[in-house]
Amino acid sequence: MSVAQAGGDIPFQGLILDFAEVLTEEVGTPHRTWCLAQGLAESAWATTLEDHPEGRALYKALESGRMTQPEWNRRTAALLGLADHQNLMGRAWQAVRPAAKMINLARAARQAGIALAMLSNSFGLDPYNPYQELGVWDLFDVTVLSETEGIAKPDPAIYEITLDRLGLPASACVFVDDRHANLVPAAALGIITVHADEQDTTVARLTRLLNLPAVPA
């Protein structure tokens, strides 16, 4: 069901949030800036993780918990042509900033009695824990990470795990993600879905949908 179909009187009890580009500001620009600082092409990070066959396979292994972050750092640094692989993930993510308005909205939702869950296709917790570093690690009632479950979005099973741990039916929950492909299985289960695009727009949409007070800047 889409937001437009949801109506204003549905009693939502759960809010499920993705991490990257939902609870964070846009990540592409910091990654491009970091690449240039390393002497790489500005698109090297994205193309290695998303388009390079070996790079994509390594990232999928990290995402599903089949590879540790240090091993991923070592092997991906080699693909990038970087001699220093220590804390590669943390270095590339260093300039990414939390999405303050979305985090404030999540806190307001929790204060209003809405259960919070984070559902993230994760990328390692050690040595770099992105959730801790960006200040959202303790925000949630339920945290479901692909690396600990061994499955990742858009596998429907990981959404079912999230609902089960929240103890809520799909129709009582709203799920927010920046990738359309990750919204499709959630909607098929009956979860109300919101596509996260620009932060102010997403916050305004959720504020109306959840009937929350205006979120401070």
Side-chain angles (χ1 to χ4, degrees):
M1 184 182 296
S2 69
V3 171
Q5 294 170 307
D9 58 349
I10 293 179
F12 296 111
Q13 300 172 60
L15 176 60
I16 306 168
L17 300 175
D18 177 37
F19 174 65
E21 301 208 353
V22 173
L23 292 164
T24 77
E25 294 185 352
E26 186 262 341
V27 302
T29 299
H31 288 162
R32 288 190 292 272
T33 301
W34 177 82
C35 286
L36 291 173
Q38 309 309 304
L40 304 172
E42 68 175 1
S43 62
W45 182 263
T47 56
T48 300
L49 272 59
E50 297 174 12
D51 301 327
H52 188 290
E54 184 179 354
R56 186 64 183 155
L58 291 173
Y59 194 76
K60 286 288 188 182
L62 175 67
E63 197 174 59
S64 63
R66 293 178 287 113
M67 180 176 291
T68 66
Q69 196 182 82
E71 177 68 5
W72 181 88
N73 287 339
R74 183 182 67 79
R75 295 178 64 176
T76 302
L79 286 182
L80 288 165
L82 296 175
D84 182 8
H85 62 82
Q86 296 298 324
N87 194 27
L88 175 67
M89 185 68 79
R91 286 155 45 209
W93 271 75
Q94 185 175 11
V96 176
R97 296 291 175 255
K101 292 181 182 179
M102 274 297 302
I103 292 169
N104 285 340
L105 179 135
R107 290 186 175 127
R110 195 175 193 187
Q111 188 172 6
I114 297 171
L116 288 186
M118 179 167 62
L119 173 54
S120 175
N121 281 0
S122 48
F123 41 93
L125 298 173
D126 182 54
Y128 177 70
N129 182 332
Y131 314 107
Q132 188 75 53
E133 292 295 329
L134 277 89
V136 301
W137 190 239
D138 299 320
L139 185 61
F140 295 91
D141 302 295
V142 168
T143 298
V144 179
L145 304 180
S146 61
E147 66 189 275
T148 56
E149 305 305 328
I151 51 175
K153 295 176 292 185
D155 188 322
I158 201 164
Y159 303 85
E160 293 171 342
I161 289 169
T162 306
L163 292 172
D164 182 64
R165 291 183 187 165
L166 281 169
L168 294 171
S171 60
C173 296
V174 175
F175 172 56
V176 186
D177 200 291
D178 65 305
R179 294 179 180 249
H180 283 290
N182 292 337
L183 298 172
V184 172
L189 288 170
I191 302 171
I192 306 304
T193 60
V194 172
H195 178 238
D197 38 35
E198 195 273 330
Q199 183 180 185
D200 286 343
T201 302
T202 304
V203 167
R205 194 178 304 143
L206 287 168
T207 299
R208 292 191 300 270
L209 184 64
L210 300 172
N211 195 28
L212 294 172
V215 174

